[in-house]
């Protein structure tokens, strides 16, 4: 009898592990291109290229935003791409990004910088910072990382006006980025 109860208990525990991992992904939807894939919040919609400011030296590879405004602002994710140079690494891309951000973002303040493992088992730096994109935008929290996929560099940036205790669920979105 004890063995049966032990087996049933183990079965329940194992099933709860599967249920919890499935439920963490139900709010995300897979978006794929030839070069990469990433999970985006299911309720977010694609942003038209015409509605995005043209980057100075990068190309917009993907842009999605939430459907509900917060403080007159739509939370969003933008993935920028550019051809890579052989001397670049994701770490050097992020270090260069931080230096540029300090000059370009008003009220720039680093919240956290950490190394994380992506779903494809690679390690990259994720930086969370706060600031204003320009004088007309609200103070926001940005979560950014850089990835290199063969011939292209990618900057992934989530922009949020939510003040949360932690941004783990949003960092997880960036961690789902995979080179194809």
């Amino acid at each position: 009898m004890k063995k049966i109860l032990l087996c049933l208990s183990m079965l329940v525990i194992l099933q709860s592990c599967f249920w919890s991992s499935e439920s963490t992904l139900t709010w995300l939807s897979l978006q794929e291109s030839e070069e990469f894939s990433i999970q985006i919040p299911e309720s977010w919609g694609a942003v038209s290229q015409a509605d995005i400011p043209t980057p100075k030296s990068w190309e917009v590879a993907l842009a999605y935003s939430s459907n509900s405004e917060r403080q007159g602002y739509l939370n969003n994710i933008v993935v920028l791409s550019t051809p890579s140079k052989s001397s670049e690494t994701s770490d050097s891309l992020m270090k260069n990004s931080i230096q540029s951000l300090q000059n370009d973002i008003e009220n720039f303040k680093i919240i956290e910088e950490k190394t994380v493992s992506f779903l494809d088992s690679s390690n990259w730096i994720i930086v969370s910072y706060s600031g204003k994109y320009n004088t007309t935008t609200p103070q926001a929290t940005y979560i950014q990382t850089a990835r290199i996929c063969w011939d292209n560099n990618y900057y992934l940036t989530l922009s949020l006006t939510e003040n949360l205790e932690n941004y783990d669920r949003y960092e997880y979105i960036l961690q789902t980025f995979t080179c194809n």
Side-chain angles (χ1 to χ4, degrees):
M1 182 68 171
K2 287 182 181 180
K3 288 182 182 181
I4 293 173
L5 286 176
L6 180 64
C7 287
L8 287 174
S9 298
M10 293 303 289
L11 182 62
V12 168
I13 291 170
L14 285 173
Q15 283 182 325
S16 68
C17 291
F18 289 116
W19 286 330
S20 66
S21 65
E22 285 179 22
S23 67
T24 60
L25 294 177
T26 58
W27 65 284
L28 297 175
S29 172
L30 181 65
Q31 301 301 316
E32 293 185 276
S33 72
E34 288 182 26
E35 296 83 27
F36 64 86
S37 62
I38 188 168
Q39 299 275 341
I40 303 292
E42 192 173 69
S43 62
W44 289 18
V47 178
S48 159
Q49 292 285 341
D51 295 331
I52 302 170
T54 305
K56 294 176 186 172
S57 59
W58 291 66
E59 180 180 314
V60 176
L62 176 135
Y64 276 74
S65 70
S66 64
N67 295 323
S68 57
E69 284 188 26
R70 294 196 170 134
Q71 302 173 9
Y73 189 81
L74 295 173
N75 291 345
N76 63 76
I77 183 169
V78 175
V79 177
L80 301 175
S81 70
T82 190
S84 64
K85 300 173 185 163
S86 61
S87 61
E88 293 174 317
T89 66
S90 67
D91 289 355
S92 69
L93 288 173
M94 281 309 300
K95 297 295 182 191
N96 291 338
S97 175
I98 291 169
Q99 289 175 350
S100 295
L101 292 168
Q102 289 172 333
N103 296 328
D104 297 340
I105 300 290
E106 288 188 36
N107 303 327
F108 177 80
K109 179 183 171 196
I110 291 180
I111 298 169
E112 183 177 28
E113 179 180 337
K114 63 183 176 182
T115 301
V116 296
S117 294
F118 281 73
L119 297 183
D120 63 5
S121 300
S122 56
N123 292 323
W124 305 94
I125 295 173
I126 288 185
V127 175
S128 301
Y129 59 93
S130 63
K132 293 177 73 166
Y133 182 72
N134 60 39
T135 57
T136 61
T137 60
Q139 184 82 10
T141 299
Y142 300 90
I143 304 166
Q144 185 178 76
T145 192
R147 297 285 311 260
I148 297 174
C149 295
W150 301 282
D151 297 335
N152 287 313
N153 296 335
Y154 294 96
Y155 274 114
L156 296 76
T157 306
L158 275 159
S159 175
L160 313 160
T161 56
E162 299 172 84
N163 290 321
L164 304 171
E165 274 187 44
N166 71 58
Y167 295 91
D168 292 348
R169 72 184 225 158
Y170 291 107
E171 288 176 6
Y172 181 78
I173 292 169
L174 299 182
Q175 290 174 277
T176 66
F177 184 92
T178 307
C179 303
N180 289 341

